[in-house]
Amino acid sequence: MPSRRVPRRRVVAGLVVTCAATTVTVPSGGAVAAGPDPEVRQVRLPDSNGDVISSQPGVFHLDPLKAVKADAKVQRVMYRTTDRTGMPIAVTGTVLVPHKAHAAPRPIIGFAPGPQGLAEKCAPSRQLAEGTEYEALPVKGLLDEGYAVVVTDYQGLGTPGAHTCMDREAQGRAVLDALRAAQRLDAAGLPDAGPVALHGCSRGGGASAAAAELAPTYAPELKIQGAVVGAPPADMNKVADSMDGSLYGAFFNYALTGLSASCGIDTAPYLTAHGRRVTNDLRDNPCTTQALAKYPF
């Protein structure tokens, strides 16, 4: 059968409808393959969302030459959250506590990263360590104010499996459970019931908004004081139209790939040969800044 080209907004709309209609529930406590670096191993998930599976000291470099470090204690963590179907999964992230004093209880900011890429090397925890995270300055700005910050890697970046970019439930839950993990991480020394807030821009703005919407039922114990929701991609049809032919075309592919992975949909029949090559390349190679330069318009 010859391939047929489908308008981009129809593909995205179809993915969103299919995602909303599909629900799967599985028992908790299973073993999963998980990181963080450098070793991927089998771990048994703890009983509760936000529980810390493992942690290790980390580093936050402010430049790719690794000449300047942030003035903060850094811990890389793996913690339990759930995907959009309700399945418990392991996700990684970074907990940063500034050395600067702050009146007790020290607030914690759940930082929802913007578009990072689809490849495992694009995980924010890895880019913070390498000095290549393009949102390093906003994170540093929060640390300079004395706030603790926890940055999630979302599903499928710091751990094996597909990165479910733009999956509302998975992103929002990963942010909320990152806050729980920061509160429960002994090495961080943060208050276990203190004030928290949410922060994100672009894709991160969508994740911040999702976390704020999900919190009353998913994480009602969190004392959320507010949420920064910057430029959220709320209407995916309009986002698809605006990105078609623009400098940010790679972001459309992030959403298409992430939603299809989340919903188990094979998009190959809808793509041209060039589209399939670009999709495969983005899954394995460039992160956001390189992707925008490689695939503009």
Side-chain angles (χ1 to χ4, degrees):
M1 178 181 294
S3 62
R4 54 194 179 91
R5 300 191 64 177
V6 181
R8 293 185 178 192
R9 62 178 296 163
R10 286 179 53 194
V11 174
V12 172
L15 285 172
V16 172
V17 170
T18 305
C19 277
T22 307
T23 302
V24 179
T25 303
V26 299
S28 63
V32 297
D37 296 354
E39 181 181 327
V40 175
R41 63 193 184 280
Q42 290 288 325
V43 299
R44 183 160 294 277
L45 293 173
D47 293 334
S48 301
N49 293 323
D51 280 355
V52 177
I53 300 169
S54 65
S55 66
Q56 63 186 40
V59 64
F60 174 17
H61 286 111
L62 298 173
D63 66 295
L65 296 178
K66 300 182 181 179
V68 182
K69 294 181 181 179
D71 187 24
K73 180 179 181 180
V74 182
Q75 290 283 320
R76 292 191 61 187
V77 296
M78 182 194 307
Y79 61 94
R80 172 182 152 149
T81 186
T82 56
D83 67 8
R84 58 165 289 275
T85 70
M87 175 184 292
I89 57 174
V91 166
T92 51
T94 307
V95 179
L96 307 105
V97 182
H99 294 134
K100 179 179 180 179
H102 191 285
R106 188 190 295 271
I108 309 172
I109 309 298
F111 192 95
Q116 300 290 306
L118 299 174
E120 198 168 314
K121 66 181 180 181
C122 302
S125 59
R126 299 186 182 190
Q127 298 206 73
L128 288 169
E130 293 297 320
T132 56
E133 174 53 58
Y134 72 90
E135 290 187 297
L137 289 182
V139 173
K140 179 183 180 297
L142 294 169
L143 294 173
D144 289 345
E145 293 296 324
Y147 301 132
V149 181
V150 57
V151 185
T152 182
D153 287 339
Y154 298 119
Q155 179 182 1
L157 277 183
T159 48
H163 176 40
T164 54
C165 180
M166 289 312 304
D167 183 313
R168 172 182 174 272
E169 288 87 353
Q171 292 182 165
R173 292 168 182 169
V175 172
L176 294 171
D177 286 323
L179 285 165
R180 286 169 160 167
Q183 291 178 335
R184 299 171 191 175
L185 180 64
D186 292 339
L190 295 169
D192 57 8
V196 301
L198 308 167
H199 182 290
C201 186
S202 184
R203 176 269 191 91
S208 177
E213 292 171 339
L214 294 169
T217 54
Y218 186 79
E221 82 283 3
L222 291 177
K223 297 178 180 178
I224 298 178
Q225 305 299 299
V228 173
V229 179
D235 186 325
M236 295 300 289
N237 285 333
K238 291 183 178 179
V239 171
D241 286 343
S242 66
M243 286 186 176
D244 193 3
S246 78
L247 178 65
Y248 303 98
F251 288 172
F252 174 88
N253 193 286
Y254 288 177
L256 182 68
T257 301
L259 288 171
S260 63
S262 181
C263 299
I265 297 172
D266 179 13
T267 58
Y270 298 96
L271 302 176
T272 64
H274 174 68
R276 289 190 289 272
R277 285 193 298 270
V278 171
T279 297
N280 291 335
D281 183 43
L282 289 175
R283 285 173 177 167
D284 298 325
N285 289 300
C287 300
T288 289
T289 53
Q290 297 86 2
L292 292 179
K294 190 173 184 179
Y295 297 112
F297 312 113

